[in-house]
Amino acid sequence: MSNAKKLNNAIVTIAIVIILITFGARASNNMIGTTMPLLAKEYFNYNNTEIGLLATVFMGFMFIMSNFINTKIKSKTRRKLFILSSIVYTITFLLFYISNSIMIWPVAALSGFSIGALMPNLITSAGLFDDRKLRERMLAIYSLSLSTSLLIGPAIESIILRYYTIQQSFLFFAIIASVVPILSPFLKFPETEHELGSDSSLKNIVRNNGFKVALLNNLTYQVPFAFIITFDGIYAKTVFHASNSIAILLYSLFFITSFFGRLFLAAKPVPNIKFLIDLSVLLTIIGLLVAWISPNIYVFIIALLILGIPHGFTYTLSIVTLSRTFDVKLRNAANSYFFSTMSLIGAILPSMLGILVDVTSLRWGFVAILPIIIAVFYFTEMYARQVKELKMYI
């Protein structure tokens, strides 16, 4: 077998492992994000503020792991942590099944803590290739795997909820989550690890304008995405009187256009990231306005299909921006700080959005978040002008 063929086979193997682990982790993680609010509301009678706080606990412990632990340890230790966390993460689905109104809080914390060790290392593994075009295609494939899991996961759960309860659905997703510990020993980690020092400190990472653009770009969509994940199922049930099965199925419709957006980026890595950043914000604003005026569930579906497009673009563009603007030795630190910062913001957002919904309403929440998105986009544009790599020819 020639060296070129061996290399191609190795690349395919790495891609398959990343795809399957990403699918198992993200499909099950998204299930927690969308179903835990329904579990808390229907079984434990939580109000919107309490549901937001529960999501904050989940995201907050994810931030603790990814920011304070994963960024401070070397490659060999991170690999061991990854394997152990994947086992603990799978077990938490069994704990959700037997949880009550008190137990659900520590279970949410444990689940968030364990998943915090998984996602940043998946990004780093996907971005280990030296060749820029191959690296960006692999990152897009990783991102496409996220969309695939978000597309198929809710569809699977929708079928499950036709025959089983919300609590029982966690048992089925424990099976999907188990893919992660099974394949985790085969995930590729950096062979040589940069010694942690001043170069990989948070201060120096944040100083990079590419990091600022990646962070702010992702934030322009994280706000509406947090709203959609936390409250769209409840919105569909409350306003349009949808069943649990239909409410969950709507997430699959949202992720259909997200999937095709990421498929486009995987098929052809784009040189002009800046154009797609601008387009994503425009579509986000349009989608939120359509959701706000929706007179029935069919118009609401159109809104979700529009909103899925920027969801497909934004995250992929952010991690590609990081790969373009950071040396390979600093990418794990950049990826971890990026993910942990997103986790911190994600921890704060649900409780803030829960209060917002209680003060206004589910419907008005769609337009109440628009000023935040526009303000963040302004700063994204300001820093993007200083990053030449956003329009790099590849």
Side-chain angles (χ1 to χ4, degrees), residues 30-96:
N30 183 68
M31 184 268 185
I32 294 174
T34 59
T35 309
M36 186 172 65
L38 293 175
L39 177 67
K41 190 173 186 67
E42 293 195 9
Y43 284 76
F44 310 139
N45 297 315
Y46 281 16
N47 60 36
N48 290 325
T49 300
E50 290 171 329
I51 291 171
L53 287 172
L54 182 63
T56 294
V57 169
F58 174 74
M59 296 298 294
F61 276 84
M62 187 187 300
F63 166 76
I64 292 171
M65 168 60 84
S66 57
N67 187 74
F68 295 110
I69 299 177
N70 191 68
T71 58
K72 303 297 189 294
I73 55 179
K74 297 183 180 181
S75 182
K76 290 183 179 180
T77 307
R78 286 206 319 273
R79 185 174 184 275
K80 295 175 183 178
L81 178 65
F82 187 95
I83 295 173
L84 176 61
S85 296
S86 67
I87 296 171
V88 173
Y89 174 67
T90 302
I91 294 173
T92 61
F93 284 84
L94 306 179
L95 299 178
F96 271 115

Side-chain angles (χ1 to χ4, degrees), residues 112-292:
F113 191 71
S114 55
I115 194 69
L118 305 184
M119 303 311 293
N121 285 301
L122 282 171
I123 303 173
T124 299
S125 182
L128 286 178
F129 297 93
D130 292 328
D131 180 80
R132 181 185 294 115
K133 191 170 184 179
L134 177 59
R135 181 176 69 248
E136 293 188 8
R137 177 163 282 131
M138 190 65 71
L139 286 168
I141 289 173
Y142 155 76
S143 188
L144 181 63
S145 302
L146 293 176
S147 277
T148 305
S149 63
L150 296 175
L151 178 63
I152 297 176
I156 293 174
E157 187 178 4
S158 178
I159 296 172
I160 292 171
L161 290 176
R162 291 181 185 177
Y163 307 102
Y164 299 94
T165 66
I166 289 176
Q167 281 184 316
Q168 291 171 335
S169 66
F170 282 92
L171 295 178
F172 288 92
F173 272 80
I175 299 172
I176 295 176
S178 67
V179 172
V180 184
I182 291 172
L183 293 179
S184 60
F186 303 102
L187 186 70
K188 185 177 176 61
F189 279 73
E191 294 181 3
T192 59
E193 182 71 358
H194 176 68
E195 292 297 326
L196 296 177
S198 59
D199 285 343
S200 60
S201 67
L202 177 60
K203 179 180 179 181
N204 282 285
I205 295 296
V206 172
R207 189 177 295 168
N208 186 308
N209 284 327
F211 183 85
K212 295 173 185 175
V213 171
L215 196 65
L216 291 168
N217 173 57
N218 208 64
L219 184 57
T220 59
Y221 203 78
Q222 191 172 15
V223 174
F225 183 61
F227 189 90
I228 291 167
I229 289 297
T230 306
F231 293 111
D232 267 22
I234 298 171
Y235 182 71
K237 293 191 63 178
T238 304
V239 177
F240 304 122
H241 310 292
S243 65
N244 284 331
S245 178
I246 295 299
I248 294 297
L249 184 61
L250 289 177
Y251 288 104
S252 281
L253 299 177
F254 167 78
F255 290 122
I256 282 176
T257 46
S258 173
F259 172 86
F260 283 110
R262 292 181 179 180
L263 181 62
F264 168 76
L265 293 176
K268 184 176 177 59
V270 294
N272 193 341
I273 294 177
K274 177 67 170 54
F275 171 75
L276 290 184
I277 289 176
D278 296 344
L279 178 63
S280 296
V281 173
L282 176 62
L283 291 174
T284 299
I285 294 172
I286 293 172
L288 290 173
L289 291 174
V290 174
W292 173 55

